[in-house]
Amino acid sequence: MVKFDVRQLRYLTREEFRCLVSLEMGMKNHEVVPSELIASIANLRHGGCYKVLRDLVQHKLIRYDHKNGIRGYHLTYAGYDYLALRSLFKPECYFIQLETKLVWVRNLTSILLLQKMVPSMF
């Protein structure tokens, strides 16, 4: 399990989440995403993406890496968790009633569940 502070989620700005999403989109085609590509996908004003990337590295949501001469960033597990929590707490989400079924057991500690989501109104 990755330890991260959920209280920090409250203080992340809209631009930081925009850079996280653009980094995730860039990782569909690249293992290490260059900062220029992140800046072009995020489309932030006044070169603010570089400052935001530096802050995200300090929060350990992304990691700077250089492999085979390619310098760029990639998401950590905590970054993926923050993106998942952000999408869960969006105001467009319904309350969801879950029906779970056991699908696959890797170890005694980790059990994957298939969840059938049934949207319900408030």
Side-chain angles (χ1 to χ4, degrees):
M1 292 291 288
V2 176
K3 293 183 181 179
F4 65 97
D5 192 10
V6 182
R7 292 174 293 176
Q8 189 180 13
L9 183 67
R10 178 184 300 172
Y11 301 110
L12 288 180
T13 62
R14 186 175 177 196
E15 290 83 14
E16 289 172 335
F17 276 111
R18 199 165 177 175
C19 282
L20 280 175
V21 169
S22 63
L23 179 59
E24 184 184 24
M25 289 173 62
M27 286 184 67
K28 290 179 183 176
N29 297 328
H30 304 283
E31 185 176 342
V32 176
V33 184
S35 58
E36 293 84 14
L37 182 62
I38 298 169
S40 67
I41 294 173
N43 198 15
L44 295 177
R45 286 191 263 167
H46 306 295
C49 187
Y50 300 104
K51 178 185 162 229
V52 170
L53 288 173
R54 187 186 68 219
D55 292 340
L56 290 174
V57 168
Q58 288 177 351
H59 294 307
K60 297 181 181 177
L61 299 179
I62 64 174
R63 193 169 77 194
Y64 181 77
D65 200 7
H66 50 88
K67 291 185 178 179
N68 300 330
I70 300 172
R71 296 171 188 258
Y73 297 91
H74 64 90
L75 277 170
T76 61
Y77 291 120
Y80 281 117
D81 290 341
Y82 272 71
L83 282 174
L85 286 173
R86 171 72 173 203
S87 65
L88 182 66
F89 291 133
K90 280 190 176 180
E92 299 93 32
C93 290
Y94 294 107
F95 285 109
I96 296 175
Q97 200 176 16
L98 298 176
E99 299 174 9
T100 60
K101 295 180 182 177
L102 180 63
V103 174
W104 179 49
V105 177
R106 266 192 302 200
N107 297 340
L108 292 176
T109 57
S110 61
I111 298 172
L112 292 176
L113 297 174
L114 176 66
Q115 299 177 344
K116 179 181 173 188
M117 295 189 291
V118 180
S120 63
M121 296 306 289
F122 304 122

